[in-house]
Amino acid sequence: MTESRLSSGLPSRLLADPEMVTACAERDFTTIFRLAKAKGGYHASRIARACELTPSRVGEVMAGRREITNMTVIERIADGLRIPGHMVGLAPQAWEHAKAEVRPVAALSGRPAAPFTGTALPSPELDDILALAASTRVTPTVLRSLQASIEDYWRRDDEHGGEALRPAVMGQLRYVLGILRDTADPHYRRSLHGVAAELARLTGWTYFDARQYSTARSYFAEALRLARVIEDRPFIANVLSCLSLQATYEDKASEAITLARAAQDSARLDGGTPRLMAMLAMREAFGHASAHDQEATHRAIDDARWHFDRIDQTDDDPVWVQYFDRTKLTVDAGIALGQLGDAAAAEPLIEEALRSEPSANLRGRAFHSFWLARTQLQRKQVELACTTAGESLTLAFEVASPRVLAHLQEFRQSLTPYRSVRSAAELSARIRELTS
């Protein structure tokens, strides 16, 4: 979930465009924003995030209904879009200066660096005091750094699971909440609320993957509270969809359906993009599948496909929903059909998705391999199912996902009627050994 241009700013070719040069010289932000969208790939919400403005304000400027004359805001725009200061009549910005050369400590002192000892670390109480004394000043650069960290956390969660990641995420959440308390600028406060909401959701997700559902729900609720403050309806929908998914794991099908529908309602209030609506419809399908409602499940899957087919490359998708691609749509449809017991329809969909799923996404591949094994076993393909489940077990053990391991324990129970089959007996013993 990367958004590379947020860190590098507008493309150099666009900054050299005569129309952009003229617009900057005249501080014509209507034209600047329009060009950023048309030629730089920056939609309104992306400009808002980069420049610490509200999406509605950006929209008003792009429509020519509002002008920007406040110097603080102009500086934020120049910093956020990486427009050199001289182009808009400002002094050179901090990021324009060449970075100072960084040399190893030993080279600076002429002496070897002292060996690290654990006593060099401050105590938690002293850490709090030092954090207060540091009093971090919020800038667009700080916010971009925080967002980049979140994107990296999600990538590492996909690749390695969230167990070892959680302390870092929780620490950064605490750090952001501390900055938020000390920040008065309403634009920065809005962005910090958004960052904190995403960190709270990520913390909740790591607890969900660890099957610690009560704690996960607490963090999801905190993410909702933070998103509610800034009326970020799409993100509220995102958190509700997480709660819906968790409800399916807690065998609360009715709650899962209600939460998924509430998520869709929240997204519609902000004109949810087709990709977002497709993801939310699929979460509703999971709820109906948990309730063993064939008709409603198929209807929700059809809704998801209908929305997905209307995706356009110009859609202003939130960064956090861009993972929901054709492969994810396909495998989720297969999983929902597998939950219904329609293995014949589910198996080819999951197989197709696994062929195109990134190899680095260990947990996803472990999870989807389990579902493929389950559909194969439903079709009495015992040897093939055991081979597939064995691959899932290897991946799950590597990524340390209690959620996937729990699925495999369920699969072991499903092997009971086939305990006389050698491959089933060997896999059962292996699952017992690795999950005990």
Side-chain angles (χ1 to χ4, degrees):
M1 300 192 304
T2 59
E3 194 170 6
S4 59
R5 286 202 182 104
L6 279 182
S7 58
S8 59
L10 296 176
S12 56
R13 58 175 172 72
L14 177 54
L15 292 173
D17 186 301
E19 189 177 2
M20 176 62 85
V21 172
T22 300
C24 288
E26 297 175 354
R27 292 183 177 173
D28 178 1
F29 290 101
T30 294
T31 300
I32 290 172
F33 286 175
R34 286 176 178 173
L35 288 172
K37 178 181 179 180
K39 299 182 178 182
Y42 274 70
H43 298 284
S45 63
R46 198 173 187 184
I47 294 172
R49 288 193 298 272
C51 303
E52 312 313 319
L53 301 171
T54 62
S56 60
R57 186 175 185 182
V58 172
E60 290 172 356
V61 172
M62 294 178 76
R65 296 195 301 270
R66 186 166 184 167
E67 295 183 354
I68 293 177
T69 57
N70 183 285
M71 288 302 298
T72 300
V73 178
I74 292 173
E75 289 176 351
R76 280 209 309 269
I77 293 172
D79 194 12
L81 298 181
R82 288 298 195 258
I83 300 173
H86 73 271
M87 292 186 67
V88 287
L90 300 174
Q93 302 297 291
W95 53 268
E96 295 182 61
H97 300 297
K99 294 182 178 179
E101 181 182 356
V102 179
R103 291 180 290 166
V105 173
L108 292 171
S109 65
R111 301 189 306 272
F116 172 80
T117 63
T119 56
L121 292 174
S123 66
E125 294 80 6
L126 181 56
D127 197 43
D128 288 343
I129 293 171
L130 293 173
L132 287 171
S135 186
T136 300
R137 177 175 174 268
V138 183
T139 65
T141 300
V142 168
L143 290 165
R144 279 193 297 273
S145 176
L146 290 169
Q147 188 59 48
S149 295
I150 291 172
E151 293 166 6
D152 185 57
Y153 287 148
W154 278 113
R155 177 185 59 78
R156 289 159 60 193
D157 177 68
D158 287 339
E159 295 178 0
H160 309 295
E163 189 68 26
L165 196 64
R166 190 185 307 125
V169 178
M170 295 176 70
Q172 192 152 50
L173 173 58
R174 184 182 177 193
Y175 168 74
V176 171
L177 291 174
I179 297 176
L180 182 57
R181 285 192 296 269
D182 296 334
T183 300
D185 186 301
H187 302 297
Y188 286 145
R189 286 185 61 82
R190 176 180 178 82
S191 294
L192 287 170
H193 270 98
V195 170
E198 180 62 26
L199 288 167
R201 182 178 78 98
L202 177 52
T203 304
W205 181 264
T206 65
Y207 276 115
F208 162 64
D209 193 49
R211 304 180 74 233
Q212 298 181 39
Y213 299 140
S214 296
T215 306
R217 182 181 287 266
S218 297
Y219 277 97
F220 287 144
E222 177 66 6
L224 282 175
R225 185 191 67 79
L226 289 161
R228 177 65 176 164
V229 170
I230 56 176
E231 289 295 314
D232 188 343
R233 287 290 176 181
F235 192 78
I236 289 172
N238 189 21
V239 180
L240 289 171
S241 76
C242 292
L243 285 164
S244 173
L245 182 63
Q246 179 171 305
T248 65
Y249 275 80
E250 297 179 279
D251 296 323
K252 299 176 181 177
S254 178
E255 181 178 312
I257 295 166
T258 299
L259 286 165
R261 287 174 172 171
Q264 292 170 72
D265 288 342
S266 181
R268 288 191 192 96
L269 289 174
D270 197 69
T273 63
R275 189 184 307 274
L276 174 57
M277 298 308 297
M279 183 272 282
L280 298 176
M282 193 56 72
R283 292 292 168 88
E284 182 180 347
F286 287 160
H288 291 304
S290 295
H292 307 291
D293 188 329
Q294 295 264 355
E295 182 180 350
T297 302
H298 282 280
R299 185 167 58 247
I301 292 173
D302 288 344
D303 285 347
R305 288 169 171 161
W306 185 88
H307 285 296
F308 195 91
D309 287 342
R310 280 151 184 78
I311 290 175
D312 188 273
Q313 62 179 0
T314 63
D315 290 341
D316 194 12
D317 285 318
V319 175
W320 41 259
V321 79
Q322 291 175 9
Y323 80 95
F324 195 82
D325 56 11
R326 176 70 67 179
T327 298
K328 184 60 174 168
L329 173 72
T330 300
V331 76
D332 281 359
I335 290 171
L337 293 172
Q339 285 180 304
L340 285 176
D342 189 354
E347 184 178 0
L349 294 175
I350 302 173
E351 280 184 326
E352 176 188 342
L354 274 169
R355 283 194 295 270
S356 57
E357 189 167 24
S359 59
N361 187 358
L362 299 184
R363 185 182 53 207
R365 293 189 67 82
F367 182 65
H368 300 147
S369 294
F370 154 74
W371 277 102
L372 178 58
R374 175 173 163 170
T375 60
Q376 291 167 340
L377 190 63
Q378 287 173 335
R379 303 190 72 187
K380 310 300 182 184
Q381 300 169 333
V382 181
E383 296 284 348
L384 182 58
C386 288
T387 298
T388 304
E391 294 169 357
S392 176
L393 181 61
T394 299
L395 290 168
F397 188 71
E398 185 174 348
V399 81
S401 172
R403 181 164 56 110
V404 179
L405 290 173
H407 278 306
L408 288 165
Q409 288 174 319
E410 295 170 7
F411 186 82
R412 177 172 173 265
Q413 296 301 317
S414 301
L415 291 174
T416 301
Y418 309 101
R419 55 180 173 267
S420 61
V421 179
R422 180 177 177 180
S423 59
E426 290 176 348
L427 178 63
S428 180
R430 187 177 166 212
I431 293 174
R432 183 176 62 251
E433 178 183 355
L434 292 180
T435 59
S436 60

